[in-house]
C-alpha cells in the first residue's frame, strides 16, 4: 500500500463509497503483514513507501548480482518502483532476467524500473556539475530524482574557472525549487551558486581530483565552510542522498 | 524595499490604484541607491532583503562593539530587521545605545531587533538537541529561525543514550516541516530522527565533547555518514546556517 | 594441560585419590616442556591455554597456507582446539588435508576445529550488527565466541535508522551478560544499545561505508565518544578481539 | 527506589511479611513519579539507579557551580549517592553549602557523597598508571569505582621503561577481576599488562605528553592496536567511563 | 651597497669617470665587510640587499621589543629600508625611540621605515581579499609590496557569495601584472579570479573561519586544488611571502 | 584567432594596409562563433587561446581514448596546438590515427602537436628535480613549458643530500627567469634553491617516497613552510600547473 | 654508587688493596637500599646512575616548584648530579633555596647542579640549529649534553635558505662524533648535514613556525623522510632526548 | 679507492716504501675521475665509499630490472660491494646474469654481492622484531648491517604481549653495542627495550597491522613518544636506514 492508495481509500470513505469498517479492514490487512520480509541475507521493509514516500532502495556494494536480483524481484512484486544504486552491468543482467523492462543507467551506475506513477514534485530540481568528471555522481542524483517523481534540469560543466558558462544559466538557476551542486577539486561551485539563488542548495563533494584532493576531503571541507547562506552538505559522492533530500523538499505540500 | 513592499506595489498597479509609471519610478529610485553602503571597514548590502528574503546578518567575531553598533544602526535605519550572531554583552550595550529595544539572547549569543513582520513560514521547524551542552548552538538556530518568521518547536536533552526521552516526542517530530538536529559527542541523533520522519533533516555537529571528539570532527563525520536518508549537514556549531536553510525550505511556496 | 585438567588433578589430590607427590610430578613434567615450540617461522605457545584459558590463535594474514596448516597441526596435536582468523579457502584446504573435520566459516573467514569441550561461559553473548555489510565482522566474533565456549545470540540488521527493528528485540538484549555491537557508517548503534542495557558493551567499528567514512575511522571515533555509559571499543573490524574480551567477561566466576 | 530496596521488598513478599498487593502499590507509587525531574537547564533521571545500578552522574564542564549544586541537592534528596566529575573547588563549595559532608577529591577533580551502601562488587579492580602525570585520570577512575561499591587497588608509576617496577606487582595484578590501565605518551602499558593477566583490561589513554603525542591520540591509537588479547579502550582521559565499565563487569552475578 | 649603487658605479666606469682600479677597490671594500653582523641573538645579513634586491626582513614573533629595535637600528644604519612583520605596538615604541619617523601599520601588524627609493616594479599588484576578516593578512601583503617599490591596488570584500562585487572590478583585475588573492573559509576566490585573468595569481589562505575550517587548512587545500590554471599557493596567513613573490615577478626586467 | 594573429591584424590597421572597418568585421566574425563547441561529453573553449594565451589543454584521466582523440581533432582543426596530460599509449594511438605527427612523451605521459609557433618567452625556465623518481613530474613540466614557447633548462638528480651536485650548477640557476623545483621525500630542495636565486620559484611536491611520505603530503607541507623567500607551491605531482604559471611569468612583457 | 665508584672498587680488589669480602659487603649494602625512594608523589630511582650512566632526570611539567625542589634535594643528597628540564624561574628559586650553587639556564629552561665529574665522552657533539627561534630546544640539548660529560660545539643560525653560513662551518661539522640538528619550518637542515658527514645525525623537529607547520608536524615528517642516510629522529622539541642519545653514542667505549 | 686502500697507501708513505710524490699521483689520479658516472637515467657516485664508508646503495622501486642490473654492474666494476634494496626476483635474475655470485635475500627483498672485506664494526648489532610479520623489515636491516661489516644478532618474535620471551634474552640484549627494534601494531617494544639497555636504540615502525594502525602511523607515533631515554626513530619500514645508522655508530673509532 503506497501513499496515494491510502489517500484514495480515505477519499472513498469520505465520499461514502466505502464504509469505515471496510476501510479499517483493508488497512489492518496491510499492517498485519510483517513489516519486514526476511530473505536470510536481507530484510525488505514493505512499509517504507507508506512511511517515507518511496520504497526501499538497494545499495549495490557488497551484494552479489543474484542477491540484488532477488531483492529487486520482491520489491517489484509488492507493486513498488525499483532503484538500485552503485551497481554494475552484471547485476543489471541478473535483474533484467527477472524484471523485463528494467533500465540500466550506465553513467549513473543505477538500475530503475518504474511501477505506476510517483507523486509529482512541485517544482524543478536543478542539478549543476562543475566538470565532466563529476557526471557519474550528478547522474546518480538525476536518475534518483527522476524516479522519485521530480522534474530535473541538468546544468553540467559550469565550473567556477569559466564563470561565464555559469552566469549564462542564471535564469534556469533562479527558476529552481532546489539546487543540487556536484563538484570535486576545490569545491567552490556551491558557494557561487548559493550567492545567486535563495532556495536550498544541497552540495555533493566528489572524489574527483588528485594530490591534495584526498579523495574528496578538500571539496567536502570547502562546502562545509561555504561563505554563502543556504548550503548544506552530504557525504562524498553521495548523489543518491542529495537527490532524496531534494525530492523530500520538492514534495513538501 | 523588502519583498512584501515590492509585492504590495505591484498589487497596487494591478488594482489600478497606481500607474505603471509611478511604480516604475519608485522601483528605479530604490535601485538607484548603491547596492552597497561603504562604512570603510564593511560594505552593507541593502538589496539583500529583496534578493534573498532577509537582510544582511552581522557575524560578530573580529568586529569591535562600535563597528557592530555602527553597522546595526544602518541596517535598522534602512527599515530592516537586525540579527547579530556570535556576539557579546559588550557589543549588545553598544547596539542598545543606538537601537533602543534591541534584545540580547545570552545563551544564543545573538542580538535581534525586529522591524515590521517577516513573511511567515508555512509550517513548524523542530529544533532537537542531544544534551544541555548543545543549547548555545540550538538557541542560535532557534533565535535565527524565529526572527526570520518561522514557528519554532524546541525539543532539548533528547540524546540517544536515553531513547525513551526522544520516542515520547514522536508526535511533535512528525508534525514538523523541517527538523534541525544539534548534537556533539558521537553525533548519532540525526540518524535516529532521520529514520522517524520523512521531512528534511539539517544536522548541526557541535564542538561539545572531549578527547577524541576533536572539537566537533567526530559528530561531523558521523552525520555525513548517516545511514538514514534525508540528512544533510552544516559546519560545526553553525546554528545560524542550519536555521537559514530551514527557513528557506519553510518559506518555499 | 588445559585448565580443566589441572583442576581435575587437584581435585584428585583433595579427594585422596592421588598423592601430592604424583601430582607434583605430573605438573613438573608438563612445565618441563619448552613453553614454545619453534617451527622456524613461528613459535607456538603451548602453555597459553593454561595461562589464559584458550590456546594460541592463528592470525592468517602474512602466512602461507602451508605455514598455517603446519601450525594448526601442532596445536591440534597438543590436544587443543583450533581457531584461524582472517583466512582463505586455500588455507582451509591445506588445513583440512591434515586435520579432517576442520570447519571453514566462509562469511567469518575463519577455520575452527574443536577438541574436547571448552569451559562454558556463564551467560549469553548478544552480537548485534547494524547492517548486512557488517556481517563478516559480526560472524568472526560469533565463531570466536562459540569456539571459546559461549552461548551466542545473533541480532543482525538492527541499525538505528529503523529503530523499531532494534526495540522489538529489547527482551533478548536485556537478557545478555555481555553485548558486542558491530557497526560501520556513523557508528551510532553502541550508544543506543548502551542506553538500553546495564551490562558491558564492546563496540566494534567496521570499515564499511564510503566517502567520509575513511575506512572505519568515523564509527571508531563515534564509538569512543559514545554518550552512553558502559561502552568500550576495539580496533576497526576486530571481531575476534571483541569476542575474546566478551568471553573473558563471560567466564569470570 | 534503588535496586537493593526493590530486592528487599520482593524478599519481604517471598517471606510472607508483605502482601503482593502492598508491594504492588509501593512499586507503582515509585513508577508514578515522573522519570525525569525538570530543573529548566537539566532533566534529572530518578529511575536511573533502578535501571542501571547507579544514579545519574553530573558531568561538570559547562555547568555553573550553582547549577551543579542544585542538581546535586535533588539527587541526594532522592536518597541517591552523588558523583560529580571534572569539577572545581568553586563547585565543591557550592555543593558543600547544601550537602554537608560532601567530599572533594582534588587530584581526581570529583565530588562524592555516599548515601547508604552500594551493592559490593565481587572482586578487586586494579588501577595501574604509567606515570605520575597520569594520576588525575587514574584517580577519577579510582574515586568512581569506589563510590560504585568496588574494592580498588592502586598501582601507580609502573611505566614500561622500568619494567621491574611492574613485574614486582605481578601477584597483585593476577588477583584482579578487572584491570584499568591508564597511560599517556606511547601507551604501551595495556599491551604489557594484557599479556600478563587473563581478565578484561580497560585501557584509558591520557592527554599527557608533548610534541607528537597530539593530546592523547598517540596512546589512543597504540591501545586500539594492542597486540595483547583482552584489551578494550575508552576515550582519552575518560577515567570515569573506564571505572563504570569495570564496575559493571565486577557486579555481574 | 645596494643594487642601484653597484649599477651606478659600473656606469661611472663605463663612462670613463672612474678607473676600473678605483671601482675594484670600492667593491672589494664592501665585500671585505663580514657578510653577517653578529648581535649575539641574531646575525644580520648586510649583503642580502645586493644578492636578493631587498634587505633582511625582521620576523617579529619570538623576539623582544628591545631585540627588534636593536636589529632595526643596524639595518637602517646600514642605509637599508626597514620592514618588521607580525609585530606589536610595544615593539613599535621601542623601534620609534631609535628610528624617528618609523611607521606602524596597525591592521597589517608591521613596521616600516623607507630609506631612499626602492627600484620601482613594472606594473600593478592587485591585492584582492574575500572578506573583512581577511584584511590583516591582505594589509601585510600590501605594506610589504609597497615598501618593496610596487604600485598596489587594493580590492577588498569581493568574496564569491556576492559575485557582482567582484565582476564590477573586472577592469582593475585585468590591468594587474600580478594578483594576490587572500581568502579564508572555503577559499574559492583564487579559482574564480584565476579564470578571469592570464597573469600569475598568488593565493594566500587565511586562518579565518570556524568549525571545519581548521585554522586555514580548508582554504589551503581548496587553493592547491584550484581548477583554474595559473594559481600557486603560499603558507596560511603568509601575506608577506605572497608580496615578496609578487614583487619579484613585478621586478623581472 | 590567436593572440599573434590579433596583434598582426592591428598592426595592419596601424600601417594603413587594412581599414578599421575590415578589421572590425574580421574580429566580429571570430567573436560570432560560439565560444564553446559542445561534443556532448565536453565543451571545447575556442576563445581560450585569445583570452589566456594558450588553447584548452586536455586532462586525460576519466576520458576514453576515443573521447580524447575527438577533442584533440577539433582543437587542431581550429588551428591550435595540442597538449594532452596524464595520458596513455592507448590514447596516443587513437590521437595519432587522426592527427599524424602528434608526439607521445612517454616519461612525461603527455601528447603534443605543435601548430604554428607559440609566442616565445623572454628568458629560460630552469626545471630542477631532486631524484630520478621525480622525473615523470619534471618532464610533464618540461614538455608543457616547451609547447607553450619557453626555453627549458633541465637540471635533474640534484637532491640536497649531495649538495655539491647542486652547487656545481649555480651559474645555470642564477641565469633563470623562473625556476620550477620538483621534489618528493622531505621536499627540501626549493628552500635551498630559493636561497640561491632571486627569481620566482615554483615548488612541485611529488608523491614519491614511502612510509611517512603520505603520497606527497610531507614535501607539500615542507614546501609551504619554506624558510626561503620567493617560493610558492602547486598541488602534488602538478607539473603541468607549475609550467603554466612559469610560462605566464616568462611571457610577462 | 655511580659507575666510576664501582669501577674503582673493583680495581682496589684487583690491586689487592681490598678483600673480595669487603667489596662484596659494600656492593650488597648499596643494593640493599630500596631501588626506589618513595616521596608519595614520585619514586626516585637511586640505581639509575649505575644502570644507565646518568641519574634520574626531573621532567618539570605537572610538578610544583616545591615538588621539584624536594626531588632535587634527594638526588643531590645521594651524591648525584642534577638535571631539571622544561622548568621555570619559580622552580629554580625553590631549588636554589635547598641547593646553593644550582644554575638556571634561562633560554634552555633547565636547572643543573653538577656533583663530581661525569665520565667524559670520547669526541665532540655538534649542535646545529636552523634559526634563532630554535635556540630554546638547541640549548636544552646543549645543557643536557654538557652535564652528561660531553664536549659541545654550538653552530646556530645555519638554516638552508642561506647555505653559505652552513658550508663555512664544514670543518667543524666533519670533526664531530655525533651531530644534533634542530630545525622547525620545513625541517630541511638534517638532510643537508646528513649528506656532508658520515657520523650519526640526530634530528629534532621544533614547534617553531606557523600556518601549515602544525606545531612541528611538518619538520617531523620531513626529517623522517630525509633522503640522506644516517638521520634518525626524536619527538618534537625533544632537545633533552636527542642529547641523551648523542651522549650514549659519545660514551660508547 | 676505498678507505682501507687510502689508509694502506698512507702507511706505505709513512714506512718509506712509497714516495710522497708517487702517493700524491695515485690520489690525484683517483680524484681526477668524475665523481659521478652518468648513465642517462642515474648518476653513480664513485667517491661515496671514500666519503661515507660504504658505496652507493640502489633503491629498487621505480627502476626496471635492466636499469638495476646496469647500475649494479658499474658499482661492482669499480671494485665496490653491491646492495640493492626493495627489489624483486626479476631484478635479481637480471643482476645475476651480469654478476655471477650475487645473492638474493628473498625475505629481505635485497640483493648483495660482497667485494673484498668491509671494515669490521666494533661490537654486535642486535635486531629485535616484535612479530613474525615484521621479519621482512628486520631482515632488510640484518642484511644491510651484515654487508656493511657488522656482527648481527637476530632476536625475533619477542613482542611485549609475551614478556617472558623478551626477558629470557636479557643477556644478549645488554651485550649489544646498538639495538635496532622493529615493531608494528602498537609499537611498544622499543620503550621496553630502551628501559633495559643503555646503548642507542634505533626504532623502526612497520606497516604491519590493520584498522587504526594506518599503515604504520600508530607505531611511528608511539616510538616518537617513547617514555624510555635513548630511542630515536626512522621512517616506516625503513630497515635499511636503521642499519646504516647502527653501522655508522658501530664503526665509530
Amino acid at each position: 500500500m503506497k501513499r496515494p492508495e491510502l489517500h484514495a481509500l480515505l477519499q472513498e470513505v469520505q465520499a461514502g463509497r466505502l464504509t469505515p469498517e471496510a476501510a479499517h479492514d483493508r488497512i489492518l490487512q496491510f499492517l498485519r503483514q510483517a513489516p519486514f520480509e526476511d530473505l536470510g541475507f536481507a530484510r525488505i521493509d514493505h512499509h517504507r513507501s507508506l512511511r517515507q514516500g518511496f520504497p526501499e532502495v538497494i545499495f549495490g556494494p557488497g551484494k552479489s548480482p543474484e542477491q540484488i536480483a532477488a531483492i529487486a524481484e520482491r520489491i517489484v512484486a509488492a507493486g513498488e518502483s525499483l532503484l538500485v544504486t552503485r551497481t554494475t552491468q552484471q547485476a543489471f543482467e541478473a535483474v533484467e532476467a527477472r524484471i523485463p523492462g528494467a533500465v540500466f543507467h550506465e553513467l549513473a551506475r543505477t538500475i530503475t524500473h518504474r511501477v505506476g506513477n510517483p507523486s509529482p514534485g512541485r517544482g524543478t530540481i536543478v542539478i549543476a556539475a562543475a566538470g565532466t568528471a563529476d557526471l557519474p555522481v550528478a547522474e546518480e542524483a538525476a536518475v534518483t530524482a527522476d524516479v522519485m517523481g521530480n522534474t530535473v534540469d541538468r546544468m553540467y560543466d559550469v565550473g567556477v574557472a569559466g564563470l561565464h558558462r555559469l552566469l549564462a544559466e542564471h535564469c534556469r538557476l533562479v527558476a529552481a525549487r532546489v539546487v543540487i551542486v556536484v563538484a570535486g577539486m576545490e569545491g567552490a561551485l556551491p558557494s557561487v551558486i548559493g550567492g545567486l539563488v535563495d532556495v536550498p542548495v544541497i552540495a555533493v563533494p566528489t572524489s574527483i581530483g588528485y594530490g591534495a584532493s584526498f579523495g574528496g576531503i578538500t571539496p567536502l571541507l570547502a562546502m562545509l565552510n561555504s561563505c554563502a547562506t543556504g548550503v548544506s552538505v552530504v557525504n562524498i559522492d553521495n548523489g543518491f542522498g542529495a537527490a532524496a533530500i531534494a525530492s523530500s523538499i520538492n514534495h513538501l505540500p
Side-chain angles (χ1 to χ4, degrees), chain A residues 145-198:
Chain A
D146 177 71
V147 81
M148 287 178 170
N150 303 280
T151 303
V152 172
D153 182 7
R154 289 162 173 88
M155 198 177 292
Y156 292 166
D157 203 10
V158 291
V160 299
L163 218 51
H164 55 296
R165 296 179 297 185
L166 177 66
L167 297 179
E169 310 289 9
H170 195 257
C171 291
R172 288 164 63 198
L173 267 180
V174 299
R177 191 171 163 90
V178 197
V179 184
I180 293 173
V181 186
V182 182
M185 305 187 82
E186 84 274 67
L189 191 55
S191 294
V192 171
I193 289 181
L196 297 175
V197 304
D198 67 343

Side-chain angles (χ1 to χ4, degrees), chain A residues 29-38 44-47:
Chain A
Q29 185 176 357
F30 172 75
L31 290 178
R32 236 178 259 123
Q33 297 168 20
F36 289 93
E37 178 177 3
D38 197 338
I44 308 171
D45 179 358
H46 287 310
H47 289 193

Side-chain angles (χ1 to χ4, degrees), chain A residues 114-125:
Chain A
R114 189 175 283 188
V115 176
N117 285 317
S119 144
R122 295 174 53 106
T124 296
I125 298 176

